[in-house]
Amino acid sequence: MSYTNGLDDPTLYFNTVLYTGNGSTNAITGVGFQTDFIWNKQRNGTYSHYLFNAITGTGKFLKSDSTDSEGTNTDTVTSFDSDGFTLGSAAGNNGSGNTMVSWNWLASNTTASNTDGSITSTVSANTTSGFSIVSYTGTGANATVGHGLGVAPKMIITKARGTTNNWGTYHESLGNTDAVFLNLTSATDTFSGYWNNTSPTSSVFSVGSSAGTNPSATMIAYCFSEVKGFSKFGSYTGNGNADGTFVYTGFKPAFVIIKPSSYANSWLILDNKRNTFNPTNTRLEADGNGADYSGLDYTDFLSNGFKIRTSNAHPNTSGGTLIYMAFASSPFTTSTGIPTTAR
């Protein structure tokens, strides 16, 4: 398997911060970089997930638990800052006393026009960390879209900005005829119209005629390629046992999303800030607006991967297939092969 060059300090490209809303102007710091993609969720209540990016700009958001078209509220994110972002008074992101989690990714802090595909796209790409944000206008017909990564993405999350559509999601483990949807619990769906039966290349990803991935509307896509010591995208098979499957990533995870693909259940989100030690058991669900829940010992985050620690069917149905995306807190070895002390 080929990787982009390894990263020795993953927190320069992805970071989770926790904060408490104040109902007024609130500068969120400690991210460690000028974020390009912000994913916020209230922990102690039922406001939706709010996703922002630097291409569409301040005050524009989509919700991962909804088909809603892009919303506008100038009291949400008011600026993308050198060490985080600033919020206005909107309750869903900054309600007074609300405890919040924010997951942040660095793209390029700039944009470029990309003509690699049949559709011209606007791209903010970080080839070092394997992450790009892609804005384009769908056609409703077979097409290609440039992603700017220089290597083929392993996972692509798409959403129509101008219409009420599902979040069509590509994952390499599912192949190029199948899709899952970030806002739905449903298992994998098979249809050639999602990705035109074509896997992504080093320059473009393909879309077909499906309204789930290519409606005649403005679109946003989040593209992820795999980077040694920083990110991993794969699948595992559940065993239905509390001594569950170990998933090797090559790093100690900071953030993991798990989605059953052969059966219906939610997108489970875990991170190392809401749980600073094992078990990593405080979950949110990308497809739902529920608060933090810690009723099950879902996983242990280990120095070189994660291990399932529950017999619960959600992440561990016996014989079931589950896909995941993971980002690092610390690589197992540095990019030059030197072992690290996972932190």
Side-chain angles (χ1 to χ4, degrees):
M1 181 177 291
S2 61
Y3 296 93
T4 306
N5 292 333
L7 297 179
D8 293 338
D9 189 355
T11 63
L12 297 177
Y13 302 92
F14 169 82
N15 207 0
T16 302
V17 295
L18 307 180
Y19 67 93
T20 300
N22 65 9
S24 184
T25 301
N26 197 357
I28 309 304
T29 60
V31 173
F33 50 82
Q34 182 174 316
T35 181
D36 290 295
F37 175 30
I38 303 167
W39 183 339
N40 291 343
K41 176 66 179 80
Q42 183 191 14
R43 301 175 57 199
N44 63 340
T46 58
Y47 280 107
S48 286
H49 297 253
Y50 284 80
L51 282 67
F52 306 85
N53 71 80
I55 291 183
T56 55
T58 59
K60 303 284 188 180
F61 58 85
L62 291 161
K63 301 176 180 180
S64 69
D65 53 308
S66 172
T67 61
D68 287 355
S69 59
E70 185 176 78
T72 301
N73 186 336
T74 57
D75 286 324
T76 54
V77 170
T78 60
S79 63
F80 294 83
D81 305 329
S82 61
D83 188 31
F85 54 93
T86 298
L87 296 167
S89 60
N93 289 268
N94 192 30
S96 180
N98 288 350
T99 56
M100 303 290 300
V101 61
S102 179
W103 304 293
N104 294 266
W105 285 261
L106 174 68
S108 66
N109 289 167
T110 188
T111 62
S113 179
N114 185 302
T115 57
D116 291 340
S118 60
I119 298 173
T120 297
S121 56
T122 300
V123 176
S124 180
N126 192 315
T127 57
T128 302
S129 64
F131 171 62
S132 68
I133 306 168
V134 181
S135 175
Y136 62 99
T137 300
T139 63
N142 295 344
T144 56
V145 183
H147 54 68
L149 290 175
V151 294
K154 302 285 189 180
M155 187 169 179
I156 304 168
I157 302 171
T158 72
K159 177 66 178 77
R161 296 169 55 201
T163 60
T164 55
N165 290 82
N166 292 318
W167 289 74
T169 302
Y170 167 87
H171 195 287
E172 185 188 50
S173 298
L174 303 178
N176 59 29
T177 310
D178 291 350
V180 285
F181 299 91
L182 189 64
N183 59 300
L184 299 177
T185 62
S186 55
T188 300
D189 189 57
T190 300
F191 176 47
S192 61
Y194 291 135
W195 316 112
N196 195 27
N197 285 344
T198 306
S199 299
T201 72
S202 61
S203 58
V204 301
F205 64 90
S206 295
V207 289
S209 58
S210 169
T213 56
N214 188 30
S216 297
T218 53
M219 300 287 297
I220 201 75
Y222 299 105
C223 302
F224 304 89
S225 62
E226 199 163 272
V227 178
K228 185 177 182 180
F230 175 68
S231 59
K232 187 75 173 175
F233 306 85
S235 65
Y236 69 90
T237 302
N239 65 11
N241 193 296
D243 182 15
T245 303
F246 168 72
V247 180
Y248 177 81
T249 60
F251 52 78
K252 185 173 185 178
F255 173 89
V256 175
I257 295 183
I258 297 169
K259 172 68 177 81
S261 58
S262 65
Y263 58 98
N265 217 320
S266 293
W267 296 74
L268 178 68
I269 307 176
L270 305 164
D271 64 65
N272 67 344
K273 297 295 176 66
R274 289 177 297 141
N275 290 118
T276 57
F277 53 85
N278 288 321
T280 307
N281 64 353
T282 302
R283 82 175 193 213
L284 290 163
E285 296 175 344
D287 52 274
N289 65 352
D292 271 350
Y293 175 76
S294 303
L296 296 169
D297 293 345
Y298 289 103
T299 64
D300 283 349
F301 282 4
L302 305 174
S303 62
N304 58 351
F306 63 94
K307 183 174 175 63
I308 305 302
R309 291 295 192 187
T310 179
S311 60
N312 182 267
H314 187 169
N316 199 17
T317 291
S318 181
T321 302
L322 302 98
I323 58 173
Y324 68 87
M325 63 187 299
F327 293 88
S329 67
S330 178
F332 189 55
T333 62
T334 69
S335 56
T336 56
I338 299 171
T340 65
T341 300
R343 55 191 186 274

